[in-house]
Structures are given as C-alpha cells and as structure tokens.
Amino acid sequence: MADGGFDSDGRSYNNAHDLWAEEIGGGEEEKRVWYNKGISYWQSVEASMDGVLGGFGHLNETDVKGSEDFLKTLLASRGMNGPGQHLVALDCGSGVGRVTKNLLLRYFNEVDLVEPVKHLLEAAHGSLASENNMIEDAHKAVNFYCLPLQEFTPEVGRYDVIWIQWCIGQLTDDDFIAFFERAKAGLKPHGFFFLKENFAKAGFVYDKEDHSITRSIQYFKDLFEKCGLHVIDIKCQEDFPGELFAVKMFALEPEETKQTTESMVEKQSIKHVTDKRKRFSGGRKKKQSNMPAVIK
C-alpha cells in the first residue's frame, strides 16, 4: 500500500500509513472519536433509500440488477441454487434494509442485518417486518443487530453469504483485517463474501465529511492478502453515472476454503483416473500388486 492519496479538502498523503497516523494516531481513544464522527454523519441522514444512497436513490434498480446478475452466477457455480437448500445471508451495513428487501430475500431463506445507526435499522425492521407478513415464511429477515462492524462478531458457521456493500470504507485498515478474520468463522464450509464498493483509480481518497476511505483495487488486494482471503471473481457495476466512483464487486473466500476445495477436486480427479483404469483392466488379476494395469 505504497501509493499515496488525498482527502476531500485536497490534502495529499504519501501513503495510507500517514493518513492513519494523522487521523487516529496510535490510541484507542482517538480511534473511538474518529468512528463516532462517522456515525454522527449517518445519524443525520434521512432513513430512506435516497438518504442511504446519498441522493442517488434512483440508482437502486440498476444497483440491484448488477448485484443479482453476479450473485446468481456465484450461487450456481458453488452448487448453492438447488432445491431443498436452506440458505442464510448476513447484510452488513444494511442501512434501511434496501439490499435485503430488494434482493437477498429472493435468494435466501433467512437474512440477518447489522447496522450501527439506530434509526436506519429501525426503519429496516419496520419495513421488513411487514415484508415478512407478505411473503412466504420460508424467506424472512430474522435478526437485526445494532452494532458497528468493528464490534460485530457473526455467529459461527451460520452464513452461506456475508454481504458487505458500501460500508467497509468506514473501517480502518486494522479493523478491516480484524473484521474479516472474525467473519470467516461465520461462513459455512463453502460460504463466501460478497463485497461491493467504490474504488479509487489509485491509492485512496479520504472523505472527511462521512469519515470513510475509498481504496484502490490494489489497496483492497493488499488487505485481502493480509486477511487470508482468495478472490474467486470480480465484476464491474455497469450503467452508473460517470461522475461517480467506479464500483466493483468481489466474491471472496477464505484461503483455507480454497485449499480444501482444490484438495477435493484433486482427489476426485485421482479417483476418476483410478476408476477408469479399473474399467479398462477388465477386472483381470494382476501378477504383482505393484505393477500398473496393462491396457490392450
């Protein structure tokens, strides 16, 4: 993360380390104050779609469509779209429940929401409680956690997908890493993270109004490596106005999940070759146990 960046006042920084040293120093009290300023900004925002999208509520449909196209591909590729499955998702930084209501409840049987701003989460609860009464009981919002991500620990092994959209920029680098370390334990064996965020062209951009940081792709990849996360796939969000930051979607899994999957694929490949050899050998008894089958 050697690339420099700048803040919304135009001040430049040589690197991210300089930014964090300036904003939070090395103490927990400074960090607490920094986070509280971010929360204060969102407490002043109207509990509506337009409020949580910064005046761009009209982009909701485009946003949901882009996310859905990517999500469907990911679920299918991981065998998570078959009948009889009970899928559970976690919506991080859920705001008023926009993503849960418009997308996640159509693909997951249970959705939990975590949001640090009380009036936004209350709006989500009110909206989704009535939604629960209108849709089949097999798809519903279940738990509503009023906590910031840096203080939240997911239930172990509960989630097929942990959805993180337009909120991870509120975390410092250290808390970014710590959150994913905790959240990995919340995934089921083949679960994954869906991360959707604004991206800077290079380095970073620090917004002093809402106290968030927009990172470059390389900045994110450096953090993913420190988190022990493997990038499954990346996709760009299309059809957003040109004056906005570029938005990309990442599908991520813990490195240990990747290694387990690769090991299973390798074992299946070896078994396939072994079974094929057995078929071609015709069941003939080998003269020596250490000799390969002869194919004629």
Side-chain angles (χ1 to χ4, degrees):
M1 287 175 282
D3 287 344
F6 57 91
D7 64 25
S8 50
D9 289 337
R11 177 180 176 180
S12 62
Y13 298 86
N14 292 325
N15 51 53
H17 180 269
D18 288 352
L19 166 68
W20 297 123
E22 174 73 20
E23 289 297 320
I24 62 175
E28 288 301 313
E29 178 61 22
E30 290 89 340
K31 183 185 284 189
R32 185 187 67 80
V33 170
W34 187 80
Y35 276 126
N36 284 343
K37 289 178 180 177
I39 292 292
S40 294
Y41 170 83
W42 288 105
Q43 286 174 337
S44 68
V45 165
E46 180 183 87
S48 66
M49 191 178 298
D50 210 40
V52 297
L53 289 179
F56 288 89
H58 60 282
L59 292 179
N60 174 68
E61 186 175 343
T62 304
D63 168 59
V64 169
K65 183 182 184 304
S67 297
E68 183 172 18
D69 290 344
F70 193 32
L71 176 63
K72 286 192 297 185
T73 300
L74 292 166
L75 293 178
S77 69
R78 300 175 79 81
M80 295 164 67
N81 62 342
Q85 298 189 58
H86 187 90
L87 301 180
V88 184
L90 174 65
D91 185 359
C92 296
S94 62
V96 295
R98 180 186 67 87
V99 174
T100 292
K101 183 173 184 177
N102 292 289
L103 177 58
L104 299 182
L105 282 177
R106 292 193 280 115
Y107 289 87
F108 296 90
N109 302 94
E110 296 182 35
V111 181
D112 293 342
L113 295 83
V114 56
E115 165 58 48
V117 180
K118 186 177 179 182
H119 79 286
L120 299 182
L121 191 64
E122 287 176 344
H125 185 274
S127 173
L128 293 168
S130 60
E131 188 81 3
N132 286 345
N133 294 328
M134 296 173 62
I135 63 176
E136 55 188 297
D137 191 51
H139 295 266
K140 58 185 178 181
V142 179
N143 298 304
F144 297 78
Y145 301 106
C146 192
L147 283 170
L149 292 188
Q150 71 270 18
E151 297 177 16
F152 179 73
T153 300
E155 180 182 335
V156 175
R158 174 164 169 76
Y159 301 107
D160 296 279
V161 173
I162 294 181
W163 192 282
I164 306 159
Q165 180 169 352
W166 288 328
C167 62
I168 204 70
Q170 302 290 156
L171 298 189
T172 65
D173 291 352
D174 289 346
D175 284 333
F176 181 113
I177 295 167
F179 168 72
F180 275 104
E181 284 294 335
R182 296 193 307 275
K184 283 191 286 187
L187 291 173
K188 294 180 183 179
H190 298 293
F192 63 93
F193 296 103
F194 189 114
L195 175 68
K196 187 168 186 176
E197 267 297 340
N198 296 339
F199 286 83
K201 291 181 179 180
F204 59 87
V205 179
Y206 172 50
D207 188 326
K208 300 191 72 171
E209 184 180 16
D210 67 4
H211 287 261
S212 67
I213 180 169
T214 300
R215 300 171 169 100
S216 68
I217 290 181
Q218 188 57 53
Y219 196 155
F220 267 101
K221 287 183 176 179
D222 289 343
L223 288 176
F224 294 156
E225 184 176 355
K226 292 182 178 182
C227 294
L229 294 173
H230 165 68
V231 179
I232 303 168
D233 201 359
I234 308 173
K235 187 175 182 181
C236 297
Q237 170 67 53
E238 298 178 348
D239 301 324
F240 269 16
E243 69 268 20
L244 300 180
F245 280 111
V247 176
K248 294 185 184 295
M249 296 169 276
F250 277 102
L252 305 158
E253 66 182 352
E255 276 290 346
E256 49 266 38
T257 300
K258 173 179 176 286
Q259 293 166 5
T260 300
T261 302
E262 289 176 344
S263 177
M264 291 176 62
V265 170
E266 183 178 359
K267 288 179 181 178
Q268 290 172 352
S269 177
I270 293 172
K271 183 177 184 300
H272 173 74
V273 171
T274 303
D275 290 346
K276 188 175 181 180
R277 285 176 176 170
K278 286 180 180 179
R279 290 197 299 272
F280 277 111
S281 72
R284 289 188 295 273
K285 185 177 180 180
K286 302 173 186 176
K287 291 182 180 179
Q288 295 182 18
S289 60
N290 63 340
M291 290 184 64
V294 178
I295 299 174
K296 296 183 179 179

